């Protein structure tokens, strides 16, 4: 079974600075997808960014980018120019490309943004 | 507006009582999912359904039951057999596409508290 590990329960960043959230996963599959979800205080889950495992190029979405290291099974999220609205719980998630559409989530990282 | 609705937002239950959480979507999605969120544990899959009148157990199905009589609806019943039901429950839906751009859309959640 696949597992996703987020080793940082909490992180803090100063407004306008850059922060990186870590995620590692374990799988025997070669084709899969990885996601970062944001859960603000409203608790509404929002998809931030996605990565296809067979693509070497790291995904970017505006201020959000990932560092995908397939051999190391690592998938970190970098947030540049942090804003107060980035404060939230961030979840890393894995989905098999072959076996259904179920998501496997990490435990989450709380990101605090200081003004 | 297309989306997923969950009701109620807050639910209180006495020990020994069954309670049903509602989830409705108008996105015309075939697949629907129920997750449980506890502090420090991320989201864990309870049940999922890919077609009407069919559903599969997730990782923590014990003490829960579901039905899928209509494509739009996927209610979750928390039975008295669930030993620790106090949690935040999230419903999601998606198409059956296997691609990375088939994201799961989440409802606003229901907070269940057992008194």
């Amino acid at each position: 079974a696949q597992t996703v590990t987020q080793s940082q329960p909490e992180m803090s960043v100063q407004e306008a600075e850059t922060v990186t959230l870590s995620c590692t996963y374990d799988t025997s599959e070669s084709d899969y997808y990885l996601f970062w979800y944001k859960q603000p205080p409203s608790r509404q889950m929002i998809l931030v960014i996605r990565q296809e495992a067979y693509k070497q190029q790291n995904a970017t979405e505006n201020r959000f980018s990932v560092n995908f290291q397939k051999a190391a099974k690592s998938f970190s999220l970098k947030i540049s120019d942090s804003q107060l609205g980035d404060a939230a719980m961030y979840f890393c998630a894995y989905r098999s490309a072959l076996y259904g559409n179920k998501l496997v989530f990490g435990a989450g990282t709380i990101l605090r943004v200081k003004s | 507006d297309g989306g997923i609705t969950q009701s109620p937002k807050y639910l209180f239950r006495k020990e020994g009582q069954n309670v049903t959480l509602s989830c409705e979507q108008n996105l015309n999605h075939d697949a629907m999912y129920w997750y449980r969120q506890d502090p420090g544990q991320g989201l864990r899959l309870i049940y999922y359904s890919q077609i009407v009148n069919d559903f599969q157990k997730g990782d923590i199905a014990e003490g829960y039951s579901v039905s899928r009589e209509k494509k739009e609806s996927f209610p979750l019943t928390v039975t008295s057999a669930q030993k620790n039901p106090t949690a935040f429950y999230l419903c999601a839906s998606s198409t059956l596409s296997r691609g990375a751009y088939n994201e799961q859309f989440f409802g606003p959640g229901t907070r269940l508290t057992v008194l």
Side-chain angles (χ1 to χ4, degrees):
Chain A
Q2 294 80 24
T3 58
V4 176
T5 302
Q6 294 179 249
S7 59
Q8 306 154 317
E10 289 191 31
M11 293 283 285
S12 291
V13 63
Q14 199 70 33
E15 202 175 1
E17 298 291 310
T18 295
V19 65
T20 298
L21 308 184
S22 300
C23 172
T24 59
Y25 58 94
D26 188 30
T27 184
S28 58
E29 298 175 341
S30 59
D31 197 9
Y32 49 86
Y33 309 110
L34 298 164
F35 304 86
W36 279 97
Y37 278 87
K38 171 185 178 181
Q39 187 181 46
S42 67
R43 305 200 79 168
Q44 178 69 53
M45 295 283 284
I46 303 164
L47 179 64
V48 174
I49 198 165
R50 74 194 93 205
Q51 176 77 41
E52 297 168 82
Y54 62 85
K55 287 189 176 179
Q56 293 185 345
Q57 186 174 6
N58 290 321
T60 61
E61 289 285 347
N62 301 313
R63 298 183 295 108
F64 298 86
S65 62
V66 298
N67 184 5
F68 173 50
Q69 301 290 328
K70 191 172 184 179
K73 295 181 182 175
S74 171
F75 182 60
S76 60
L77 175 70
K78 185 172 82 171
I79 305 174
S80 305
D81 185 26
S82 296
Q83 300 175 359
L84 294 177
D86 295 333
M89 174 80 87
Y90 286 82
F91 292 100
C92 179
Y94 171 100
R95 195 180 98 217
S96 170
L98 294 176
Y99 304 111
N101 288 325
K102 296 179 291 179
L103 288 170
V104 178
F105 285 89
T109 297
I110 297 172
L111 178 65
R112 305 189 194 281
V113 181
K114 302 176 185 176
S115 59
Chain B
D1 285 336
I4 302 176
T5 56
Q6 291 185 244
S7 60
K9 188 172 183 179
Y10 299 97
L11 190 56
F12 298 90
R13 180 194 104 170
K14 293 182 179 179
E15 279 195 44
Q17 287 182 338
N18 292 355
V19 64
T20 297
L21 282 59
S22 169
C23 177
E24 304 273 337
Q25 55 98 1
N26 61 5
L27 300 168
N28 199 32
H29 285 166
D30 288 301
M32 297 187 74
Y33 314 81
W34 274 105
Y35 294 93
R36 171 179 171 141
Q37 184 177 7
D38 295 283
Q41 295 196 52
L43 279 68
R44 293 180 291 167
L45 183 65
I46 305 172
Y47 268 98
Y48 65 102
S49 168
Q50 298 186 82
I51 194 169
V52 173
N53 292 323
D54 189 44
F55 44 83
Q56 287 77 41
K57 293 182 180 180
D59 301 318
I60 56 166
E62 184 175 351
Y64 299 97
S65 66
V66 293
S67 63
R68 186 90 185 273
E69 297 177 0
K70 298 186 300 181
K71 186 176 182 178
E72 304 79 22
S73 178
F74 192 41
L76 173 73
T77 297
V78 185
T79 75
S80 57
Q82 169 49 235
K83 296 189 185 334
N84 185 20
T86 293
F88 187 66
Y89 291 87
L90 281 160
C91 179
S93 72
S94 74
T95 70
L96 293 176
S97 167
R98 295 288 175 86
Y101 286 85
N102 177 25
E103 66 178 275
Q104 288 189 16
F105 292 83
F106 286 82
T110 293
R111 173 69 184 177
L112 173 63
T113 302
V114 174
L115 303 173

